[in-house]
Amino acid sequence: MPNKSFNPATLENVLNWGNMRQAWRRVRKQNSAAGPDHVTVKRWNLDWETRLHLLIDAVYQRVYTPLPPKQFYIPKKSGGKRLIQIFSVTDRVLQRAFLQVVSPVWERVFLPSSFGFRPKQGVANAVTAVVRHRERGYRWVLDADITRCFDNLRHKLALDLFQAQIPDRNLRWLLKQWLNVASKTKVGLPMGAVVSPLLCNVILHQLDLQFKQQDWHLVRYADDFIVQTQTEDGMHAAKAHTESTLATLHLTLHPRKTTLTHFDSGFTFLGVNFKNNFYSYTQHNKRIEVAGPTVRVLHAFPPTYYEFW
């Protein structure tokens, strides 16, 4: 029996008044910075109903054009700088309405190995998976780092994979609008766009699929992931398998930041340090260290992990 509460991903459902109003409320609650037009959330709120009606009409009439996002740089933990792009409040409302409709479709497809930017998932869930795989003997680790992942994701690949699951061409048109205004080279997802984390998951879902039938365990949080194996040979095989899969997505492993390791040697993943049979992290300026398979503490005091979105 079909799920009667499930709404198909169509432009009509994106532009539904209730969906658009909910999207606006979420953007208003976040109260993030003004975009390139300098219109703040507070100012948008003064006549939000009129603005929503105008936005809906503009999209239906195919005269909607997003503004080029405001750009600035923030320092990266690993050194260097990351380009952040902030869309206008109007564009963010439409992207949020879009996401509210298409995300449930992709949630039916995504695999349990994916934890980033998903409902009811997060860092604590990902670390729990790592600990449980460790306790089952998967103690060799490929600690992977993709070379400038968001910067190198191809627009056409994202659009094609998206449309293979969601055929509405109007939604592809919207996505293409947002991607093109952020990058004229047709490469790179805008860091700061509401839709970018979903598109990252759409593309890297192809990596998840390639590990589904393997006797290794992938734990992925957006573009941050590790692969756990039971043997050293398995770890090397997992690396080769990862490299060949990423090549089909026009991505590569970072040669200096990707490491082959073991729990006895230790590694850090999602801000959590793993060493032998312990894991530790800092929460509210307090160091929390847990031995063995216990994960209750992890969920009671979950580690913080920086997310721009």
Side-chain angles (χ1 to χ4, degrees), residues 20-31:
M20 292 288 287
R21 183 174 58 185
Q22 181 183 3
W24 155 239
R25 286 173 175 171
R26 292 191 64 178
V27 172
R28 181 177 61 187
K29 185 176 181 180
Q30 288 180 328
N31 196 29

Side-chain angles (χ1 to χ4, degrees), residues 48-60:
W48 68 269
E49 290 180 284
T50 299
R51 289 180 182 271
L52 277 188
H53 282 297
L54 290 173
L55 178 57
I56 292 169
D57 289 344
V59 176
Y60 270 131

Side-chain angles (χ1 to χ4, degrees), residues 10-12 15 53-66 94 163 167-177:
T10 63
L11 183 64
E12 290 74 18
L15 300 180
H53 282 297
L54 290 173
L55 178 57
I56 292 169
D57 289 344
V59 176
Y60 270 131
Q61 295 172 22
R62 285 291 185 110
V63 295
Y64 164 75
T65 302
L94 185 56
Q163 192 167 23
D168 190 309
R169 291 187 175 274
N170 293 311
L171 298 186
R172 180 188 172 104
W173 170 74
L174 274 180
L175 263 185
K176 194 172 182 180
Q177 292 266 83

